[in-house]
Amino acid sequence: MKKLLFAGAALLGLLGSSALAAEDRVVRVFNWSDYIDASILEDFTKETGIKVVYDVFDSNEILETKLLAGGTGYDVVVPTGTFLGRQVQAGVFQKLDKSKLPNLENMWPQIMSRIERFDPGNEHAINYMWGTTGIGYNVEKIKERMPDAPVDSWDMLFKPEVVSKFADCGIHVLDTADEMFPAALTYLGLDPDSDKPEDFAKATEVLLKIRPYIQKFHSSEYINGLANGDICMAIGWSGDVLQARDRAAEADNGVTIAYSIPKEGAMMWFDNMAIPADAPHVEEAHAFLNYIMKPEVVAKATDYVFYANGNKASQAFVSKEVLEDPAIYPSEATIENLFSVTTKSPKAMRVRTREWTKVKTGQ
């Protein structure tokens, strides 16, 4: 899977300043893999003269470990909602200087209000992308093994007599308890946001029953796995599955990928840009956030990654194909059936981590 490890174009407009001073005009960004159109970074540098040093990660845990250790050297990072919530509480982010972010006026009030449960007052972060966690699948391989497969239901994963039919063609699930436990709880008809130890145990029981059929726990490999026809099902993030769908179509390799939001309910998640408390280039970080909030800029990112963004004004620039795809921009009725989860207490986190270890080891 390609990694976006890009630097911006050469700095412009030095106006006689020294090369050393020019080097100071930099913003260091730590974002998810495969999550931006590289031309956005190049255009930002052309417009502002600020060089972008861009690194990637593929799990919230990796980002959180760096943030809590301090001294990351990054100016902009992109945590998901639940992680953002506890990181705000831990004091690892600085408050945004909204006077330097005039493009905040473009943001989507409905999305901002949902994110307030993680970041009260939207003081520390702006939304970059949002999406759902659902089922990505190889249409032909699933139909071949089970013509009446319940592709619109969590039965596809959590019902042993169903998921076992697909074990031979490969099943991947996300390597994060933050996603898989709420999905299992939803399947059981329980509160997906529960922090009760007994509910974690029930979710673990369900996951252990289908553990023998899971080929791999990974949060990015399933994109290529689906696109290449190497696996036939993945529990993954909407945009990732749709990237796989389009890669398969472009390759014309005979693979058809589809994405389903389970009818029982699915997680709505939010990836947000924030500035670490010890960011070395605060001015440049604000400039980067403000640039990303330009409607035409974040629309370009949405067209590239196939995720909805939290910028309402950008919808005038998002391609019609993407804007009208219900897997990317779900209907209001579907959105009503989506849930998000809150930050868990350290005690609940420890319990859930132990349960997740049981699931992954199969013991």
Side-chain angles (χ1 to χ4, degrees):
M1 176 177 175
K2 68 179 183 180
K3 300 291 185 181
L4 296 177
L5 299 170
F6 298 107
L11 294 174
L12 303 177
L14 299 182
L15 301 177
S17 61
S18 68
L20 180 62
E23 284 297 320
D24 290 338
R25 295 290 289 167
V26 63
V27 61
R28 297 182 60 89
V29 180
F30 199 33
N31 197 358
W32 291 83
S33 59
D34 246 1
Y35 215 27
I36 201 166
D37 185 327
S39 67
I40 291 173
L41 307 180
E42 296 163 359
D43 291 345
F44 170 74
T45 298
K46 290 174 185 175
E47 181 170 316
T48 65
I50 300 170
K51 177 182 177 182
V52 182
V53 178
Y54 193 92
D55 295 330
V56 299
F57 58 90
D58 66 4
S59 80
N60 273 294
E61 289 78 7
I62 290 173
L63 172 60
E64 183 161 87
T65 298
K66 286 181 176 290
L67 286 170
L68 295 181
T72 65
Y74 290 110
D75 304 301
V76 175
V77 296
V78 191
T80 302
T82 50
F83 285 79
L84 170 70
R86 62 172 175 259
Q87 290 157 6
V88 166
Q89 293 173 11
V92 300
F93 299 125
Q94 57 184 270
K95 288 186 177 181
L96 300 175
D97 184 344
K98 295 184 180 181
S99 69
K100 297 175 181 176
L101 301 172
N103 287 330
L104 273 171
E105 67 180 15
N106 298 319
M107 299 305 282
W108 193 345
Q110 182 181 4
I111 300 302
M112 291 181 71
S113 66
R114 289 205 180 212
I115 294 171
E116 279 196 281
R117 69 188 309 183
F118 311 115
D119 179 26
N122 300 117
E123 291 189 331
H124 300 85
I126 64 164
N127 180 250
Y128 176 53
M129 298 288 162
W130 63 269
T132 56
T133 302
I135 303 166
Y137 60 98
N138 182 308
V139 174
E140 293 83 6
K141 288 187 176 181
I142 295 299
K143 188 174 182 180
E144 177 185 329
R145 287 160 177 79
M146 190 178 185
D148 60 345
V151 294
D152 64 343
S153 169
W154 282 119
D155 284 348
M156 282 291 288
L157 178 70
F158 295 121
K159 204 167 188 177
E161 56 267 41
V162 174
V163 71
S164 60
K165 296 181 185 295
F166 315 125
D168 69 301
C169 56
I171 300 168
H172 285 194
V173 303
L174 292 167
D175 186 11
T176 171
D178 266 6
E179 299 278 357
M180 298 311 302
F181 271 83
L185 291 170
T186 298
Y187 173 73
L188 291 170
L190 299 172
D191 179 4
D193 198 23
S194 175
D195 60 1
K196 298 176 181 177
E198 58 268 31
D199 286 346
F200 291 151
K202 291 174 184 175
T204 298
E205 185 178 351
V206 168
L207 285 158
L208 282 175
K209 286 179 180 177
I210 56 99
R211 175 65 182 87
Y213 313 118
I214 298 173
Q215 182 185 93
K216 181 174 283 190
F217 294 86
H218 203 279
S219 297
S220 62
E221 283 188 14
Y222 65 91
I223 302 176
N224 282 338
L226 286 170
N228 297 335
D230 297 331
I231 63 174
C232 62
M233 189 168 80
I235 304 306
W237 295 305
S238 50
D240 283 359
V241 174
L242 298 176
Q243 284 186 48
R245 178 194 67 184
D246 282 20
R247 289 181 189 179
E250 289 168 6
D252 194 20
N253 58 3
V255 173
T256 306
I257 301 300
Y259 176 75
S260 170
I261 299 175
K263 61 187 178 183
E264 298 89 348
M267 183 181 288
M268 184 182 191
W269 51 262
F270 309 91
D271 284 340
N272 314 283
M273 291 188 167
I275 304 174
D278 58 357
H281 307 104
V282 176
E283 289 292 323
E284 289 79 3
H286 280 85
F288 186 80
L289 265 57
N290 197 54
Y291 184 78
I292 290 295
M293 287 188 289
K294 282 189 171 186
E296 64 274 22
V297 171
V298 76
K300 190 174 187 178
T302 278
D303 283 346
Y304 180 82
V305 302
F306 300 108
Y307 284 115
N309 68 68
N311 188 307
K312 187 69 172 179
S314 76
Q315 293 179 24
F317 300 91
V318 173
S319 69
K320 183 178 179 182
E321 177 187 5
V322 169
L323 190 63
E324 295 181 355
D325 189 333
I328 303 174
Y329 283 90
S331 67
E332 286 296 325
T334 301
I335 290 177
E336 286 299 315
N337 201 32
L338 299 176
F339 61 82
S340 55
V341 296
T342 53
T343 304
K344 299 291 178 285
S345 68
K347 181 179 179 181
M349 287 289 295
R350 286 193 295 271
V351 173
R352 193 178 62 179
T353 298
R354 285 198 298 270
E355 295 295 325
W356 183 238
T357 299
K358 291 178 186 178
V359 172
K360 291 187 65 176
T361 59
Q363 298 175 354

